[in-house]
């Protein structure tokens, strides 16, 4: 991003305009004066943070929860998680532009309990650090080259995991996926490898590697259970979702103590 000196009246619109035409979210949900674009309505209309609170929170809220959010993109879900009462939210994003946009959103929304970190989510999970009451991961697992490792690391840091992800199913539109047999911790399964074609685009919201591997839904549930997250609730399964089948699910460890 080139350096810009402004002489106009200070406003949130000025910060928004730094990324004009490159927002993935519809910020008019936050500030009606901002342009209504074709972005995702993640700040209010998106039901997934509420679904997470209803299945993994307390009485539909996250009061007292310390949450780790993987791949917040522009912070839309972060805003909802904070509004649902989270004690703290640590949001880790590897896309540098999305990270900067999240800071703009944090300022516009007045978030006070959310911290955005720039870097790789797997490295964050693998490094020494606290346990979390919930890991919230929407739109990231299917961007991982090693989704099995992400699940293993996440299960080691929390008793509750909320996921929204694409998954692989034999469909003609997924013919670019290449099957890759893998083995981890004695489990044998097939991942389905996809090479990104659009990494050079300004609106690329994918992973930080050139390839990704999708899981099959039964294997996803099996791997969660293998790592102790045996109580799985499939909230929504949409095999006809745009760009590929998608599932919303909540997983927990049966012995999970309530947050203090």
């Amino acid at each position: 991003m080139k350096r810009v000196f402004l002489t106009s009246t200070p406003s949130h619109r000025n910060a928004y305009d730094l990324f004009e035409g490159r927002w993935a979210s519809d910020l008019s949900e936050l500030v009606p004066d901002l342009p209504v674009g074709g972005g995702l309505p993640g700040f209010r209309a998106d039901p997934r943070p509420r679904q997470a609170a209803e299945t993994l929170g307390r009485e539909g809220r996250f009061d007292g929860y310390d949450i780790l959010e993987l791949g917040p993109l522009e912070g839309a879900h972060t805003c909802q998680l904070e509004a649902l009462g989270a004690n703290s939210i640590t949001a880790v994003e590897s896309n540098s532009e999305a990270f900067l946009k999240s800071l703009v959103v944090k300022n516009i929304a007045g978030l006070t309990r959310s911290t955005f970190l720039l870097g790789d989510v797997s490295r964050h999970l693998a490094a020494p650090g606290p346990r979390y009451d919930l890991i919230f991961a929407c739109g990231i697992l299917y961007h991982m080259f090693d989704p099995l490792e992400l699940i293993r690391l996440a299960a080691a840091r929390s008793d509750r995991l909320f996921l929204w992800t694409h998954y692989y199913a034999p469909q003609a539109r997924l013919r670019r996926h290449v099957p890759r047999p893998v083995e981890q911790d004695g489990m044998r399964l097939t991942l389905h490898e996809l090479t990104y074609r659009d990494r050079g685009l300004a609106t690329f919201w994918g992973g930080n590697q050139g390839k990704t591997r999708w899981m099959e839904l039964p294997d996803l549930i099996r791997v969660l259970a293998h790592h102790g997250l045996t109580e799985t609730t499939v909230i929504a399964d949409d095999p006809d979702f745009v760009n590929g089948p998608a599932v919303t699910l909540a997983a927990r460890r049966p012995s999970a103590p309530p947050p203090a």
Side-chain angles (χ1 to χ4, degrees):
M1 186 173 64
K2 66 179 181 180
R3 183 180 303 171
V4 178
F5 294 91
L6 273 64
T7 58
S8 56
T9 302
S11 68
H12 290 313
R13 174 63 187 267
N14 290 340
Y16 173 91
D17 286 345
L18 291 174
F19 304 101
E20 184 179 8
R22 301 202 302 276
W23 287 93
S25 309
D26 183 357
L27 268 68
S28 68
E29 284 191 300
L30 278 182
V31 181
D33 292 340
L34 293 179
V36 178
L40 301 174
F43 296 96
R44 303 251 195 278
D46 193 318
R48 288 173 288 183
R50 296 190 298 277
Q51 291 169 337
E54 289 164 359
T55 53
L56 297 172
R58 286 188 295 208
E59 298 180 352
R61 302 255 319 154
F62 284 130
D63 298 293
Y65 276 56
D66 294 313
I67 296 175
L68 174 64
E69 183 182 6
L70 306 182
L73 194 58
E74 296 165 357
H77 288 162
T78 319
C79 291
Q80 287 204 49
L81 294 173
E82 187 164 311
L84 286 164
N87 179 62
S88 71
I89 303 157
T90 302
V92 181
E93 175 59 56
S94 70
N95 182 320
S96 59
E97 181 172 298
F99 168 75
L100 293 174
K101 292 175 183 175
S102 294
L103 299 184
V104 172
V105 166
K106 178 177 180 177
N107 191 39
I108 292 175
L111 301 182
T112 60
R113 303 187 305 280
S114 300
T115 300
F116 292 93
L117 299 176
L118 178 60
D120 184 88
V121 295
S122 293
R123 288 182 178 271
H124 177 81
L125 287 166
R131 288 185 61 78
Y132 297 95
D133 299 307
L134 169 75
I135 293 179
F136 183 91
C138 278
I140 186 170
L141 186 68
Y142 67 95
H143 284 307
M144 305 300 294
F145 185 75
D146 191 351
L148 304 181
E149 179 68 359
L150 183 68
I151 292 172
R152 184 188 72 81
L153 292 169
R157 296 288 290 272
S158 182
D159 296 322
R160 302 172 187 85
L161 177 61
F162 183 85
L163 281 172
W164 181 91
T165 184
H166 287 300
Y167 64 85
Y168 180 84
Q171 297 180 355
R173 59 178 172 159
L174 302 183
R175 61 183 177 274
R176 288 179 49 221
H177 290 71
V178 179
R180 303 294 189 195
V182 299
E183 182 173 350
Q184 185 189 75
D185 297 333
M187 293 180 292
R188 295 182 178 180
L189 61 153
T190 299
L191 300 179
H192 300 268
E193 186 172 293
L194 176 67
T195 300
Y196 290 119
R197 292 178 174 177
D198 53 352
R199 281 181 61 84
L201 300 179
T203 54
F204 175 75
W205 310 120
N208 57 11
Q209 300 187 49
K211 295 182 179 181
T212 181
R213 290 178 170 180
W214 290 22
M215 299 181 69
E216 298 176 19
L217 182 54
D219 285 337
L220 171 56
I221 295 172
R222 179 162 65 102
V223 171
L224 289 168
H226 177 81
H227 293 292
L229 302 175
T230 56
E231 291 187 0
T232 302
T233 301
V234 174
I235 299 167
D237 179 14
D238 188 351
D240 299 317
F241 191 83
V242 63
N243 297 327
V247 65
T248 306
L249 63 82
R252 74 167 75 222
R253 190 169 279 108
S255 58

